[in-house]
Amino acid sequence: MNILVINCGSSSLKYQLINSDSEEVLAKGLCERIGIEGSQITYQPAGGKKEITVSPMPTHTQAIKLVLDALTDEKKGVIKSLAEVGAVGHRVVHGGEKFTASTRITDEAIAAIEECNELAPLHNPANLIGIRACQELMPETPMVAVFDTAFHQTMPEEAFLYGLPYEYYEKYKVRRYGFHGTSHSFVSKRAAEVAGKAYEDLKIIVCHLGNGASVSAVKNGKSIDTSMGLTPLEGLIMGTRSGDMDPAIMEYIAKKENLDIAGVMNVLNKKSGVLGLSGVSSDFRDIEEAADAGNERAIKALKAYNYRVAKYIGAYVAAMNGVDVIAFTAGLGENGNTTRKGICEYLTYLGIAINEEANNVRGKDIVISTPDSKVQVMVIPTNEELAIARETLALV
Ligand code: AMP
């Protein structure tokens, strides 16, 4: 079956058409600047070249229509008609406590997703727009919602409760949810396969280090803790997000800089992290280049980043009373060999030793620890689209 995977943002939409039998990507691409002047669609069939077309996309429905037109185009298309799309899998950011797993999209499911909008006001409404647009254009095609939060719904109360008045949890659902669940699930399962051991018998720490970044503790096949919280702002120092900090800083900075809450949130989400620390960029390639050239703030940013990841790994070793496998994934986790090395230098107390040669390999599942390392350290490229396609197939 061919499964269309849709990841819909407020002004952009990523898509992949995946054959679920071979797990091959038949075509993929991106619509950008939806609803804004200068919208364009990128389309790339398997083995073919990437094509960018400027085309007006006043709405998401129009964007999805362009995607479907490209997929079924006589010349560059990869399918003859929409009848060849067996199902659509939608990425949905927040499933709150309502969704502990992926779900078939029905009117009730849509209403329940809507109820989670408040928890992710930037993401969920956009995800719903994508769902509705697909329903309009493919009313007969079964659809599935795959949630970023669902995998972490196994977290025990002691891990998800904040030290706040309990009624905020009862009344407003203020608790830790965690994100990147599709990736943490995919990578931890794959890590168990690479280790050649049963998923249910392992203690795995997954470090998803991308522009957004989170660490998770997966014990016996279940997420028992993760570094992101009510929103994706908590936890690690990220590209532009602060991660953990003393909440009193908010009032202090608001007074000093004459900012309101929205202004402070903007700083914490968009101007902090390694961008704010280094003053160079949110992209680690730029920061590493600056650090190599002797830029002191870039060096400080990289050190603070590695330290925070190592601290979380230590916390999760404590939470699971041990660790068998540590897996790195996402843009930086997969490509940043110096970052991985820098983090693992804090972990010699766990008996971890890194094989430098393996650590320099790119683009595949690989064990980067030495054979006598007490904990296996791996790089496992994540594939959220494939994970969404698999979930979708399972439910249709
Ligand atoms: P993601 O959000 O998973 O796409 O990850 C994007 C981030 O990965 C970028 O902002 C970079 O900081 C990082 N990244 C990607 N490629 C490399 C690389 N070759 N070396 C270091 N960092 C990289």
Side-chain angles (χ1 to χ4, degrees), residues 258-284:
N258 195 22
L259 293 170
D260 59 7
I261 289 201
V264 175
M265 290 310 293
N266 188 47
V267 172
L268 300 184
N269 273 307
K270 303 217 171 114
K271 297 187 178 165
S272 301
V274 288
L275 167 69
L277 279 171
S278 69
V280 174
S281 165
S282 64
D283 193 305
F284 279 78

Side-chain angles (χ1 to χ4, degrees), residues 4 17 22 40 116 122 281 287 290-291 334-335 365 384-385:
L4 180 61
L17 186 68
S22 62
Q40 61 178 39
C116 303
L122 297 179
S281 165
I287 304 169
E334 290 167 30
N335 297 299
D365 298 335
E384 287 169 284
E385 289 78 14

